[in-house]
Amino acid sequence: MQTPFDLWSAWYVNATGMQAEWLRFATSVWLKDARAVARLATCATPIELASAQAALAQEALADWFELQRKVFGEFDPDIAGSALAVA
């Protein structure tokens, strides 16, 4: 039989894990943003700029999908293998 303390303890462990994941993600995004500015500054033609922007957008979306898969997977482990994992 689970006590209220057991339930609170499980919730706290999950909340701490999600907070750590969000912090890791935010740090990663900030580093990538700094690199993106440098990458865009080196573009010599509009074609290079458009190509770099498209690549950066693709990387950003992939990062967001991965984060959502991890965060929702904390609530429901079956989600980790669902449509979010395909994206």
Side-chain angles (χ1 to χ4, degrees):
M1 180 174 159
Q2 287 188 328
T3 66
F5 180 75
D6 293 333
L7 296 173
W8 180 85
S9 179
W11 173 85
Y12 183 75
V13 167
N14 285 339
T16 303
M18 282 192 279
Q19 181 182 21
E21 185 58 35
W22 277 105
L23 183 59
R24 185 210 58 78
F25 178 76
T27 302
S28 171
V29 167
W30 291 331
L31 290 172
K32 286 182 180 185
D33 285 350
R35 289 186 197 121
V37 170
R39 186 172 167 187
L40 293 173
T42 62
C43 295
T45 67
I47 299 289
E48 286 180 33
L49 181 63
S51 178
Q53 287 175 332
L56 292 168
Q58 184 178 17
E59 291 170 18
L61 283 174
D63 290 345
W64 275 104
F65 277 118
E66 178 63 19
L67 175 69
Q68 295 306 314
R69 187 188 63 78
K70 287 179 181 178
V71 170
F72 287 124
E74 290 287 325
F75 293 115
D76 185 359
D78 292 336
I79 289 177
S82 72
L84 285 176
V86 174

